[in-house]
Amino acid sequence: MEPNHTKSSDTYAADISSIREAQVRIKPFAQQTPVLTSDTLDSIAGRKLYFKCECFQKGGAFKFRGACNAIFSLDDDQATKGVVTHSSGNHAAALSLAAKLRGIPAYIVIPKDAPKCKVANVKRYGGQVIFSEPSMQSREDTANKVLQDTGAVLVPSSNDRRIISGQGTISLEFLEQASDIDTLIVPISGGGMISGVALAAKAINPAIRILAAEPLGANDAFQSKSNGRITKLSEVNTIADGLRAFLGDLTWPIVRDLVDDVIVVDDMEPNHTKSSDCYAADISSIRAAQVRIKPFAQQTPVLTSDTLDSIAGRKLYFKCECFQKGGAFKFRGACNAIFSLDDDQATKGVVTHSSGNHAAALSLAANLRGIPAYIVVPKDAPKCKVANVKRYGGHVIFSEPSMQSREDTANKVLQDTGAVLVPSSNDGRIISGQGTISLEFLEQASEIDTLIVPISGGGMISGVALAAKAINPAIRILAAEPLGANDAFQSKSNGKITKLSEVNTIADGLRAFLGNLTWPIVRDLVDDVIVVDDKEIIQAMKLCYEILKIAVEPSGAIGLAAVLSDGFRKNPVYSECNHIGIVLSGGNVDLGVLWNSFDK
């Protein structure tokens, strides 16, 4: 009896029935590929692994399953006229081979710059090669002309019911050969294979997890899942040239609904990644953010000082986010959020309520994309901060000073404009953008064993912690927080988000509270919170100016203040922290406040 967990073909382009039919259809031609195991790889992965070796399939790849099903699905009249596709890869070879087995023509449109070995492979299997210009438009136009001239049947490489059903036969075999599998990891490109695999596997075992594996330089599936709609990239760049296609209108709904997560890896990926099932961001989304913001954000320098090393009794490394565009780390998250928007969302603009670095950063990032940024600013905000928002092109809307008024005003702007809300910290896009600090920092100073990061709403430290712990699970993450706004310290102590009735600190950039997305990351991955008073912050600002020759606002200096504090020296981990990375978070310095601080 067929399990009753399948989706009907009314919902998707294929289903378990069409996949079982494909299995019968291709059985005389396709190989049942072996499943291999390896104790060594199990040990490295810390999991039991099973490898379905589609490299041993006819034609050298899984593509033969779908191509064979498509070819032998044709009725005799269709078959006589042959098939056509545009491809230079495995699909071209597979379709040529399947057509040869049925004794019908296969017209293969190949871009003229395709490697000679791929052209030779198509010809070896009997395909008739028609060259096109390299552009996708030329490939499609050429294929359409062949269709008109021959009356042949178009067989796309992925976005086709017959292809999806044929590839789904992988699951039927795999789960029979290794029935204890609880997770399947499948490469994703156009989505034909993972769609068929997911449909069949979920029908056989609804509890099975389906994970897509995708290269960072071609992470359209990850972005599509994040955005809730098909997202195509302007360019792709990966060594995995077989994974450069985009999802189609038939594969996307299946990927959207049945693929549990997309794991993004770069071309030299370490094996410490975390799953986004746990948190609002992960190493994959942070690496994706790095690619997204690279054309816009600065790679900020790391400075050292023998004098400060001597004072601290530790080797210190300063990541100078005060040199970031917009003057602060906030630009990373804002830029990632802005350039994550699809075109329809972007046209309507973005809105936030802030008078600080996030307001300026969002304004600048929106300006770079050429879209509006509506910034709700409390009417008592310093004039210099309002001027900064306007300087970067933000549209200022004033509210009353209270948080309720700020939120109400922002909500009204959202209703009036249809713009997208971009919070300052409690947002996966923001967390991922800020996490790029770790990717740079630990490449610039790989010997770091401890990172000290300012904490407020938790966006930066969440991203920094996620990325750093993925790269080096043993690294310590310490938060630096002012005594007059020590909600993170109290939250960690209480085991739940704890908001203060009032805050009082010179570090006005650290007065926000943790949110529901940042708190779990801070709770689990931040090893401790170092609390310092305003006098210690002011002294650290002075040292930054006198020794590093960098003027930072109080929030930017708090990391150094924490390192030099008595509280840190009394901390049990102090003796183990020998190479300490400090994020100078930057900020838009109000010189009046700066001088008053030094006077104190």
Side-chain angles (χ1 to χ4, degrees), residues 345-377:
Q345 293 172 316
T347 301
K348 296 176 181 177
V350 291
V351 64
T352 199
H353 57 86
S354 168
S355 63
N357 298 324
H358 176 64
L362 197 67
S363 300
L364 174 56
N367 196 345
L368 289 171
R369 188 163 180 183
I371 65 174
Y374 305 100
I375 312 296
V376 175
V377 177

Side-chain angles (χ1 to χ4, degrees), residues 476-512:
R476 281 173 291 278
I477 307 295
L478 302 178
E481 187 174 49
L483 179 62
N486 68 340
D487 64 292
F489 175 82
Q490 294 195 33
S491 296
K492 289 279 281 185
S493 300
N494 298 333
K496 60 182 178 181
I497 295 177
T498 303
K499 295 185 177 181
L500 309 179
S501 57
E502 62 176 339
V503 294
N504 181 20
T505 175
I506 193 173
D508 61 351
L510 301 179
R511 293 178 176 178

Side-chain angles (χ1 to χ4, degrees), residues 135 342 394 409:
S135 71
D342 63 37
T409 306

Side-chain angles (χ1 to χ4, degrees), residues 76-77 86 116 128 156 176 368 383 392 511 546 585:
D76 290 342
D77 289 341
H86 57 86
K116 291 180 180 179
Q128 301 178 38
E176 186 175 292
L368 289 171
K383 291 181 179 179
Y392 291 128
R511 293 178 176 178
E546 292 177 346
S585 56

